[in-house]
Amino acid sequence: MKLEDPHRSRPFRRRRTALAGRLGEGIVILPTAPERARNADSHYDYRWDSSFFYLTGFREPEAVLVITLGRKPREILFCREKNLEREIWDGFRFGPDLARQAFGFDEAHPVADLDAKMVELIADQPVIHTPVGADPAWDSRVTGWLNAVRAKVRTGVSAPAEIRDVRAVVHDMRLIKDAHELGIMRRAAEISGAAHVRAMAAATPGRREYEIEAELLHEFLRNGARAPAYGSIVAAGANACVLHYRENTAELRKGDLLLIDAGCELESYAADITRTFPVDGKFTAAQKDVYELVLAAQEAAIKAVKPGAAFIDYHDAATRVLVRGLIDLKLCKGSVDKVLADESYKRFYMHRTGHWLGLDVHDAGDYMRKGKWRKLQPGMVLTVEPGCYIRPGPGVPRHFWNIGVRIEDDVLVTAKGREILTAGCPKRVADVEAAVRG
Ligand code: GLY
Ligand code: MN
Ligand code: MN
């Protein structure tokens, strides 16, 4: 690891400067995520806070970013001290001195000094910008510092008059991806697409869902993406109609469709892909009808992703195509407008067509502003993921029972329209069938 590489910290420094410019005055105090116990003395694999990472690039637990704003902002990192004894057991820690150099801070201090230093740092600041209401322990720590400064006002210092939630501004910044982020997201999408292709080739009647999950993880890991971005859904047959199915234990049977919703996390960025395919390499007529309908809805939705469109437009485009198809397949009754109005289609399509994607799989950023849907802008990344889930029930022809299909791609809004980041992953019927046959 080249600790002194100035390029590595550049995108993160740029974002800190941009944040300081947007906030203007006061002090930013942003902690990373805590470590979490799994059982006994084992912990879940550590995952840093996404906004903290966005502004620092720093991945160790027990760290806090501070920026004192004003004409010449000072960027300060609090982190764990070096500890040779702990490093023998757990591995390398930067410690403040190295971290300051490697991550481009003006100052760095041991996190053990945080309470004492914060009382000095927030004195005379007009505003504290910090997460508010995310963690009661953090809220009470911040108000503790505030009260410590208030207790000293007779010595001539003034206490901040306001605490504002810094996440609103950071989340808004995160919504527009910069070139550094897009480079990583393209690669995360590519690795995830390759994992789906590997899963298609591996699926065959008699294997279990978790065996296919293992193929996905294998492809993620061997490409340096060390974790899935969320728990992989590998859902055969009727399981595909459970939207957040996570059991992944059932046997794949001849004639089943397999729905896989899986994406890797690469350098903290998520990909999120769903593909649905027949485990024996050939769609039945009914499966194909539903599949082609969802694909047509997805293609209409992708076309509706463009700068200036409202966020909801692509959902509306997908829903309209699905409703038309559900009527044609005799699963819904009436005109398109009637079925849209009475929402009877929701029996088969009950979720939204997508969400922002980035450091978090359901990424930060508002969908509405003052009661209006956000307009899409170049640099936004979203998923397009219509589906159709047909449970057995009255009025549902038997040949459709337990068919569940979703097709999900990751799409970047560009100045000209869109770029499908996951375009390398097959989805046309013939291409999917060929990939399953290996
Ligand atoms: N995989 C989570 C989602 O599609 O929203
Ligand atoms: Mn998904
Ligand atoms: Mn998704």
Side-chain angles (χ1 to χ4, degrees), residues 36-44:
R36 304 209 189 262
R38 182 174 187 275
N39 60 306
D41 59 352
S42 294
H43 284 76
Y44 285 103

Side-chain angles (χ1 to χ4, degrees), residues 272 355 362 383 385 408:
D272 183 6
H355 49 83
H362 295 163
T383 66
E385 49 178 306
E408 175 173 29

Side-chain angles (χ1 to χ4, degrees), residues 62 78-81 96 109-117 141:
E62 300 185 80
F78 288 83
C79 66
R80 301 184 303 194
E81 288 196 86
H109 302 285
V111 71
D113 297 349
L114 185 67
D115 289 322
K117 288 262 182 214
R141 202 160 171 198

Side-chain angles (χ1 to χ4, degrees), residues 230 261 272-274 354-355 357 361-362 383 385 406 408 410:
Y230 53 91
D261 184 344
D272 183 6
I273 301 181
T274 307
H355 49 83
L357 182 72
V361 64
H362 295 163
T383 66
E385 49 178 306
R406 179 164 65 255
E408 175 173 29
D410 304 343

Side-chain angles (χ1 to χ4, degrees), residues 134-185:
D135 171 10
W138 180 257
D139 293 344
S140 106
R141 202 160 171 198
V142 172
T143 45
W145 298 329
L146 186 60
N147 286 334
V149 178
R150 285 174 176 155
K152 296 204 300 191
V153 289
R154 266 171 294 150
T155 68
V157 297
S158 67
E162 268 186 78
I163 301 182
R164 274 188 225 150
D165 198 334
V166 70
R167 290 175 301 177
V169 175
V170 180
H171 287 184
D172 205 51
M173 289 173 64
R174 283 173 52 190
L175 192 47
I176 308 291
K177 274 66 183 175
D178 61 33
H180 177 256
E181 298 183 283
L182 290 174
I184 299 168
M185 290 189 78

Side-chain angles (χ1 to χ4, degrees), residues 11-337:
F12 303 98
R13 283 187 283 131
R14 222 172 14 226
R15 294 174 201 147
R16 294 199 290 270
T17 304
L19 176 66
R22 282 174 72 148
L23 294 177
E25 59 171 15
I27 183 168
V28 174
I29 317 172
L30 182 63
T32 193
E35 293 180 281
R36 304 209 189 262
R38 182 174 187 275
N39 60 306
D41 59 352
S42 294
H43 284 76
Y44 285 103
D45 280 350
Y46 181 65
R47 176 52 158 76
W48 39 91
D49 176 77
S50 293
S51 290
F52 174 86
F53 177 82
Y54 177 77
L55 294 165
T56 63
F58 195 67
R59 299 168 197 224
E60 289 183 23
E62 300 185 80
V64 179
L65 165 67
V66 173
I67 309 176
T68 58
L69 303 167
R71 235 167 27 86
K72 196 161 179 330
R74 281 192 79 68
E75 301 173 356
I76 308 167
L77 180 73
F78 288 83
C79 66
R80 301 184 303 194
E81 288 196 86
K82 286 204 75 66
N83 179 332
L84 294 181
E85 163 74 10
R86 286 313 324 160
E87 291 182 53
I88 288 170
W89 290 88
D90 301 329
F92 174 79
R93 300 177 172 196
F94 274 92
D97 285 343
L98 279 179
R100 184 181 54 72
Q101 294 168 47
F103 296 89
F105 284 93
D106 299 310
E107 288 176 34
H109 302 285
V111 71
D113 297 349
L114 185 67
D115 289 322
K117 288 262 182 214
M118 283 320 300
V119 177
E120 282 169 36
L121 286 167
I122 69 171
D124 296 324
Q125 292 287 359
V127 189
I128 298 175
H129 304 274
T130 197
V132 178
D135 171 10
W138 180 257
D139 293 344
S140 106
R141 202 160 171 198
V142 172
T143 45
W145 298 329
L146 186 60
N147 286 334
V149 178
R150 285 174 176 155
K152 296 204 300 191
V153 289
R154 266 171 294 150
T155 68
V157 297
S158 67
E162 268 186 78
I163 301 182
R164 274 188 225 150
D165 198 334
V166 70
R167 290 175 301 177
V169 175
V170 180
H171 287 184
D172 205 51
M173 289 173 64
R174 283 173 52 190
L175 192 47
I176 308 291
K177 274 66 183 175
D178 61 33
H180 177 256
E181 298 183 283
L182 290 174
I184 299 168
M185 290 189 78
R186 284 193 185 94
R187 180 71 186 133
E190 186 179 24
I191 294 168
S192 302
H196 277 262
V197 171
R198 186 186 182 103
M200 288 175 195
T204 193
R207 299 192 82 182
R208 297 228 169 225
E209 291 165 341
Y210 53 68
E211 294 180 70
I212 310 308
E213 183 179 12
E215 300 290 336
L216 296 161
L217 293 175
H218 181 108
E219 193 66 19
F220 294 166
L221 280 157
R222 78 181 195 91
N223 283 292
R226 303 288 303 281
Y230 53 91
S232 307
I233 296 171
V234 182
N239 297 334
C241 296
V242 180
L243 296 179
H244 291 161
Y245 178 75
R246 285 288 297 124
E247 276 284 311
N248 296 2
T249 52
E251 187 175 323
L252 317 186
R253 287 165 319 173
K254 192 169 158 42
D256 275 353
L257 288 180
L258 185 63
L259 182 155
I260 298 180
D261 184 344
C264 70
E265 181 175 290
L266 181 73
E267 294 179 42
S268 307
Y269 285 83
D272 183 6
I273 301 181
T274 307
R275 289 292 184 266
T276 311
F277 57 87
V279 299
D280 47 22
K282 189 88 191 133
F283 285 93
T284 67
Q287 287 168 349
K288 194 164 155 184
D289 283 343
V290 178
Y291 188 88
E292 296 274 27
L293 172 58
V294 174
L295 187 59
Q298 204 228 15
E299 285 172 341
I302 288 174
K303 281 211 190 87
V305 173
K306 55 188 170 198
F311 174 77
I312 201 66
D313 290 353
Y314 78 93
H315 172 69
D316 289 342
T319 308
R320 195 159 263 281
V321 172
L322 279 170
V323 165
R324 175 78 260 159
L326 289 168
I327 295 166
D328 293 344
L329 295 174
K330 307 207 171 0
L331 289 162
C332 287
K333 285 198 178 62
S335 67
V336 170
D337 288 332

Side-chain angles (χ1 to χ4, degrees), residues 340-420:
L340 283 170
D342 68 19
E343 300 191 336
S344 51
Y345 69 89
K346 286 196 172 170
R347 181 174 175 197
F348 307 107
Y349 182 47
M350 58 299 276
H351 61 75
R352 255 311 152 55
T353 305
H355 49 83
W356 308 131
L357 182 72
L359 287 163
D360 296 314
V361 64
H362 295 163
D363 204 34
D366 292 332
Y367 292 92
M368 293 190 104
R369 277 273 165 86
K370 296 185 181 152
K372 287 215 165 120
W373 292 102
R374 291 290 286 266
K375 294 263 192 283
L376 300 184
Q377 294 171 44
M380 291 176 167
V381 179
L382 46 79
T383 66
V384 183
E385 49 178 306
C388 184
Y389 314 90
I390 311 176
R391 287 170 176 263
V396 178
R398 192 173 262 276
H399 52 271
F400 287 131
W401 286 12
N402 295 319
I403 291 178
V405 173
R406 179 164 65 255
I407 306 171
E408 175 173 29
D409 282 300
D410 304 343
V411 179
L412 163 69
V413 183
T414 64
K416 291 209 178 106
R418 71 209 66 82
E419 175 187 332
I420 304 175

